[in-house]
Amino acid sequence: MHFYFDESGDFGFPTDRFDCYTQAALACPDSRSDALQSYVEDRCREWDVEELHATDLADDQIEALCRHIASEPFVLTVTAFDTATTSAKGIASWRAGQADKIAEGRDWYSKQGEGSQAVIDHMISLEKRARFASRCSDGQFVQGMFWIDVIYRALQQSVIVYRDDSWRDDFGDFRFVLDAKLPGKMDASEKWLRDTIGPIVHSNPRHYSLALLDTWAEPPVHPFVEKYDTGVGVSVGKLLEGGFQCVDSRSEPGLQLVDTVAYVVRRAVLEPDNDAIQRAYHLLVPQLGSDGSPVHVLCLNERSEDALEPYAHLEATRTSDVVKPWGS
């Protein structure tokens, strides 16, 4: 199973206007991977572009991509957050809380008397990166932390959607691919995700456990259970032990399609009167809503009655309630 991840928006959190940011996942079964690649290569040749980068395409091309995505057995997951639900003040408070928790964990570890100095130094570095925007900007910190929610939801939805036995062979291995922001190295958000997703997931096994069909444990045991069951269920932590890759989107057709998904949902929020974009968005809704909520809105501020007002025109798609990520 292949999971592709990308975001839309600059995560600048301006104070003088409303802005929205999205993070998206696209799950593609191994058995559809070759078809995905062929489709993207064909579109690039037809449209004479090096890659399918949504910001460079016309709205009718975007709609055509969404129509194709809707025709494939992909699972889509999108998380949105904005300058109203996630303000600079809310981010600062959240970061301070995260830094304090890391410091508490470091102190406890150090007092055991058998701790590795390398581990203590690493925790000191994490605390500073959480506490100081000069080490990791607000936008980078939010991206790195919120990716954890997206990854978990993408995995859970894939288990639900691909529950039929016809998909058994697609559950042997899992590959997680993010669109690389920098050539040859990780940026601060990618480093934060790499360094924290394991500890966060492992320290919250109940929150990040996956709900599976009981029949998957019956003979013949489903390959997903056989490979990833920990004895008390399947944990996201075990699935992520191999880590994730940060790859140039030009070499990964799946990243080019998930880029379109993130872009369309963001524009659907910001441009309620754009008929072409609204049509493109609604083409994706069936694949976005496998868990009952096509778009999850994350919030770091106190919830208000008008928190979902910018998403009101998407009401027919059952936009989710505002939820808070782990640790907030």
Side-chain angles (χ1 to χ4, degrees), residues 16-69:
D16 60 342
R17 61 183 174 85
F18 175 83
D19 202 1
C20 170
Y21 314 106
T22 55
Q23 292 178 304
L26 183 151
C28 174
D30 295 347
S31 55
R32 297 303 301 164
S33 183
D34 289 344
L36 184 158
Q37 181 169 342
S38 295
Y39 172 78
V40 170
E41 290 174 351
D42 288 346
R43 292 292 75 71
C44 287
R45 282 193 295 268
E46 179 183 347
W47 295 340
D48 193 25
V49 293
E50 185 177 359
E51 67 172 312
L52 302 178
H53 196 257
T55 58
D56 298 328
L57 299 176
D59 285 354
D60 62 332
Q61 293 173 316
I62 294 293
E63 189 174 350
L65 289 181
C66 289
R67 184 170 290 106
H68 176 78
I69 292 171

Side-chain angles (χ1 to χ4, degrees), residues 143-320:
Q143 286 181 70
M145 287 295 291
F146 283 7
W147 271 131
I148 299 173
D149 179 81
V150 177
I151 291 170
Y152 169 69
R153 288 184 57 237
L155 281 166
Q156 182 61 76
Q157 289 190 73
S158 71
V159 168
I160 295 171
V161 173
Y162 303 126
R163 60 186 178 274
D164 189 81
D165 278 349
S166 61
W167 299 109
R168 286 174 65 96
D169 293 341
D170 293 284
F171 278 85
D173 293 296
F174 285 74
R175 181 169 178 250
F176 302 91
V177 186
L178 274 73
D179 186 11
K181 294 181 175 60
L182 301 173
K185 62 179 181 179
M186 291 184 172
D187 89 327
S189 67
E190 295 161 345
K191 291 178 180 178
W192 182 260
L193 174 62
R194 177 198 64 193
D195 293 342
T196 60
I197 189 169
I200 288 175
V201 168
H202 282 296
S203 64
N204 292 269
R206 290 188 177 181
H207 183 77
Y208 290 109
S209 63
L210 298 172
L212 307 178
L213 291 176
D214 292 339
T215 54
W216 280 16
E218 299 173 359
V221 177
H222 194 283
F224 185 71
V225 174
E226 188 173 33
K227 187 168 185 177
Y228 298 107
D229 188 17
T230 62
V232 291
V234 173
S235 167
V236 174
K238 188 170 180 62
L239 280 161
L240 293 170
E241 285 178 352
F244 57 88
Q245 300 169 282
C246 295
V247 180
D248 188 328
S249 59
R250 288 173 294 184
S251 65
E252 281 286 352
L255 289 177
Q256 297 176 47
L257 291 190
V258 75
D259 167 74
T260 298
V261 174
Y263 178 78
V264 165
V265 175
R266 178 172 184 255
R267 285 190 62 188
V269 175
L270 296 175
E271 302 176 31
D273 298 324
N274 186 322
D275 291 340
I277 290 300
Q278 295 302 319
R279 286 195 303 269
Y281 168 76
H282 283 280
L283 286 168
L284 303 178
V285 165
Q287 286 151 302
L288 286 167
S290 59
D291 67 348
S293 299
V295 180
H296 277 223
V297 183
L298 293 181
C299 177
L300 290 179
N301 301 342
E302 289 298 320
R303 180 177 175 179
S304 61
E305 292 184 0
D306 60 352
L308 292 180
E309 185 177 347
Y311 309 87
H313 58 286
L314 306 180
E315 183 177 0
T317 66
R318 295 177 295 172
T319 303
S320 72

